[in-house]
Amino acid sequence: IESRHLAPNAFDDFTLADGSVTGNQIAEGTIERRHLRPDAFDTFTLADGSIDGDKLGKSAVASVHISNGAVTGQQLAESAVTAQHLAFTPVRSSSGKPKLQQFGMTPFVLTGADTQTEVTVLFDEPYAGINYVIVGMSNNQGFQISLKSQREDAAVLEVIRQPNCNLSYGFVSWIALGPSL
């Protein structure tokens, strides 16, 4: 007896025996998502690499999904972290606002009987105005360093040799701090 020998309504109450339908009887691609209940799988394992960025919804990953130590400097884009992202102000003024700090070391030489010379300090980054602080000191106590003039992009420090000093050269170490552009 084949199915063509049976009438369309030959069985009113028809039940398949347990285990009578196996994977061999199911044609490839015939069971679709719509055939499955939402809770059809109690335990479900995803294949390694099966979830990529295309499968994640916008805002799907939150801070609770990121393990401690998972984000390192390698994951941060260049210039991604700025002063506004920091929980502290790295260099701040009495007003608490961030300031630009620059520093360096500049050599100087006094020629002949000269007792003073000027050292021009050029900044890598100009300040927003001339209301910045610059401090200089020599690598030898026989020289006094004073501020002679300042511009947004440079300052001139005056080096004066003290009477008891017989050196004619040295270094000015300087640090400048003020509002950035």
Side-chain angles (χ1 to χ4, degrees):
I1 297 177
E2 296 176 345
S3 60
R4 62 184 170 88
H5 296 107
L6 300 174
N9 295 328
F11 298 100
D12 286 338
D13 190 17
F14 177 66
T15 310
L16 292 173
D18 286 346
S20 63
V21 177
T22 65
N24 293 335
Q25 283 84 29
I26 301 172
E28 187 73 32
T30 57
I31 296 179
E32 298 173 353
R33 185 182 313 172
R34 64 185 171 89
H35 297 112
L36 301 174
R37 290 188 331 263
D39 61 343
F41 296 100
D42 289 337
T43 59
F44 180 53
T45 305
L46 295 170
D48 288 344
S50 64
I51 295 180
D52 59 20
D54 293 337
K55 308 224 179 18
L56 293 175
K58 200 171 192 111
S59 302
V61 177
S63 59
V64 298
H65 300 107
I66 300 171
S67 299
N68 287 338
V71 178
T72 65
Q74 200 171 18
Q75 285 80 28
L76 297 175
E78 190 69 31
S79 301
V81 178
T82 62
Q84 72 185 26
H85 298 104
L86 299 177
F88 64 96
T89 305
V91 178
R92 62 178 175 251
S93 68
S94 57
S95 68
K97 294 188 179 190
K99 299 298 176 191
L100 172 63
Q101 178 180 325
Q102 300 181 73
F103 60 92
M105 185 180 282
T106 306
F108 64 87
V109 175
L110 296 169
T111 56
D114 289 345
T115 59
Q116 63 187 42
T117 189
E118 294 178 359
V119 173
T120 301
V121 173
L122 298 173
F123 302 127
D124 292 335
E125 186 177 331
Y127 288 95
I130 62 167
N131 294 325
Y132 59 86
V133 175
I134 183 166
V135 177
M137 63 181 266
S138 172
N139 63 327
N140 185 290
Q141 64 185 2
F143 297 100
Q144 176 184 332
I145 312 297
S146 300
L147 175 63
K148 187 167 184 179
S149 66
Q150 61 191 121
R151 301 186 322 244
E152 289 85 355
D153 62 340
V156 177
L157 301 177
E158 186 174 54
V159 178
I160 300 173
R161 180 172 38 200
Q162 301 299 300
N164 59 350
C165 179
N166 58 3
L167 293 174
S168 60
Y169 62 90
F171 290 92
V172 173
S173 298
W174 59 268
I175 185 168
L177 186 69
S180 62
L181 288 177

